[in-house]
Amino acid sequence: MTSEWQRLQSKLPEWVEQNRHEYIHGKVAAYIPELSKAPADALGVVVMNGAGETVVAGDTELQFTMQSISKVFTLILALMDNGEDVVFSKVGMEPTGDRFNSMLKLELVEPGIPFNPLINAGAIAVSSLIRGNSPEERFARVLQFFRLLTCNDTLEYDQDVYDSESATGHLNRSLAYFLMEKGILRGRVEDVLEVYFRHCAVKLNCTDLARMGLVLAYNGRDPVTGVPLIPRRFVQIAKTFMTTCGMYDASGEFAIQVGLPAKSGVSGGIMTMVPGRYGIGLVGPSLNRMGNSTAGVHLLETMSRDLDWSLF
Ligand code: DON
C-alpha cells in the first residue's frame, strides 16, 4: 500500500499541470498596480510535513507578497500582545458577506466595529494593536515574528509593492479614518497604515508559507524545531477565522469543496494546512471573481478529494 506521502510525491506534479489552465478563468489583481506584473499562468505548491520534508510542484521559486495572508499572523501577534478581551473589543468574530474592503456594515450595524480581523477594516484595527513605540518598531516586531515562523531570517517587505499600495490605497485610508473617528484605531492613521501596508507587502515563497501553515497545523509548536511559537488558544482562534472568512465570500464554498482552514491573498497566495500533518503554501496569481487564486482553489480541491482531507 502506498502511503499518503508517496502518493503526494507521485501525483502532485500531475495535479498542478492538470489545474494550471484554470488561470484563464481569472485575472491578476491590478488595483495595487505593482501586483499586475505577476505571471498569470504560474502555479506552484509546497506541502511540508512535521519533519520539515517537502513535496514541491510547479512554480515554487516564484516570490510573491503575503497580502491578506499576513492578517492571520498580525491577529495572532495582537492577541499575544493584548489578549482576547482587548482585541475583540475592537473587532468582531463574524463573516460579513461583503467584499473584503467594504465599509458598508461599519456604518450600518451597531456597535460599528469591523466584523472580523480578516477584512481590511478589521486588519487595520488589528495593526494598530501591535505593540511598539513607532510604526518602524511595530513593523519590525511583525517582521521578526514572520521570520521566526518561517525560519527564514532573510524575509523582507517589497518596497515597490508597498509604495504602489501606499500611493493608491485610498479606500483603506478612508476605512482607517472612519475607524479613527469611532475611537477604534490607536495612534495616527498614516502610522497605522504604514504598518498595515508593510506587512501586506512582505515577500516570500511557497516554502515559507508552508512552514507558517505547519506551525498552525501543529497548534503553535514548530514541529521541526520543537519550539513553541504561538499559544494553542490563539491558533484555535486563527484557524476558526480562516475557516469562516479566510477565503472571502467563497469561504463556505471552499469549506464544502476543500474542507481545510485557509487564507488567501490578492497576490494569488493561499496558505492552508492539514491539522496535525502538513502545512501547505501555494501561489497562482490569476484570481477568480471572489478574489482567490483560480487554479489554486481547483488544485486544492483535487488534492483534498484524492487524499480525503476534508475536516467535515
Ligand atoms: O489592503 C489590501 O487591499 C491588500 N493589501 C490586501 C488585500 C487582500 O489580500 C485581500 N484581503 N482580504
Side-chain angles (χ1 to χ4, degrees):
M1 206 175 79
T2 56
S3 71
E4 183 174 75
W5 194 248
Q6 283 168 333
R7 182 151 179 87
L8 267 172
Q9 285 172 322
S10 72
K11 298 297 280 186
L12 202 57
E14 182 184 321
W15 289 337
V16 165
E17 293 320 316
Q18 193 180 308
N19 286 289
R20 187 189 290 275
H21 72 276
E22 293 288 345
Y23 84 90
I24 59 168
H25 301 299
K27 276 202 190 95
V28 176
Y31 79 100
I32 300 172
E34 194 64 22
L35 294 184
S36 64
K37 296 179 180 168
D41 61 347
L43 182 62
V45 64
V46 171
V47 181
M48 190 180 286
N49 68 16
E53 297 159 346
T54 54
V55 180
V56 310
D59 306 302
T60 50
E61 73 295 340
L62 189 70
Q63 295 257 321
F64 53 96
T65 53
M66 289 177 81
Q67 297 304 333
S68 285
I69 301 169
S70 63
K71 296 171 180 175
V72 173
F73 299 99
T74 50
L75 167 67
I76 290 172
L77 190 57
L79 285 164
M80 288 164 73
D81 279 353
N82 302 275
E84 282 179 57
D85 291 350
V86 171
V87 171
F88 292 119
S89 69
K90 308 279 183 193
V91 292
M93 302 182 185
E94 305 301 336
T96 60
D98 302 323
R99 280 193 60 76
F100 64 88
N101 52 10
S102 171
M103 48 174 25
L104 201 66
K105 290 209 169 73
L106 269 185
E107 189 154 29
L108 285 181
V109 184
E110 286 299 325
I113 61 172
F115 263 50
N116 68 67
L118 299 187
I119 53 171
N120 285 8
I124 291 168
V126 164
S127 287
S128 84
L129 294 173
I130 307 285
R131 293 233 182 276
N133 292 320
S134 62
E136 290 75 25
E137 203 177 304
R138 286 201 289 279
F139 176 67
R141 290 192 60 242
V142 172
L143 186 61
Q144 185 48 36
F145 186 49
F146 291 4
R147 286 178 175 176
L148 205 63
L149 292 162
T150 52
C151 268
N152 179 355
D153 276 345
T154 67
L155 225 59
E156 262 303 345
Y157 75 98
D158 183 309
Q159 186 72 47
D160 293 337
V161 173
Y162 168 82
D163 289 342
S164 183
E165 179 160 19
S166 185
T168 55
H170 311 304
L171 193 49
N172 281 332
R173 250 179 211 99
S174 55
L175 286 171
Y177 277 105
F178 190 91
L179 296 173
M180 179 64 82
E181 216 281 322
K182 292 275 181 192
I184 294 165
L185 275 202
R186 276 191 194 160
R188 293 176 48 232
V189 161
E190 283 305 325
D191 288 353
V192 174
L193 287 175
E194 187 181 321
V195 177
Y196 173 78
F197 291 148
R198 271 180 216 238
H199 70 64
C200 287
V202 169
K203 199 162 66 175
L204 41 54
N205 61 27
C206 291
T207 306
D208 297 317
L209 214 48
R211 186 71 180 248
M212 293 177 111
L214 190 69
V215 176
L216 301 184
Y218 283 78
N219 291 320
R221 187 181 57 85
D222 184 327
V224 185
T225 60
V227 177
L229 298 174
I230 306 169
R232 188 176 184 281
R233 169 69 182 154
F234 299 153
V235 174
Q236 194 174 48
I237 292 172
K239 286 199 282 201
T240 309
F241 280 122
M242 288 166 71
T243 305
T244 55
C245 7
M247 301 297 282
Y248 316 115
D249 292 341
S251 297
E253 187 180 335
F254 188 86
I256 288 172
Q257 305 294 8
V258 179
L260 298 171
K263 182 73 199 93
S264 62
V266 290
S267 56
I270 301 178
M271 177 193 66
T272 183
M273 87 221 51
V274 183
R277 281 193 275 174
Y278 313 124
I280 300 174
L282 176 154
V283 67
S286 179
L287 308 180
N288 62 22
R289 208 169 44 84
M290 306 307 256
N292 300 312
S293 170
T294 331
V297 170
H298 279 95
L299 173 59
L300 288 171
E301 278 179 30
T302 305
M303 292 164 72
S304 177
R305 287 219 180 164
D306 188 275
L307 300 165
D308 195 18
W309 278 348
S310 174
L311 301 180
F312 305 107

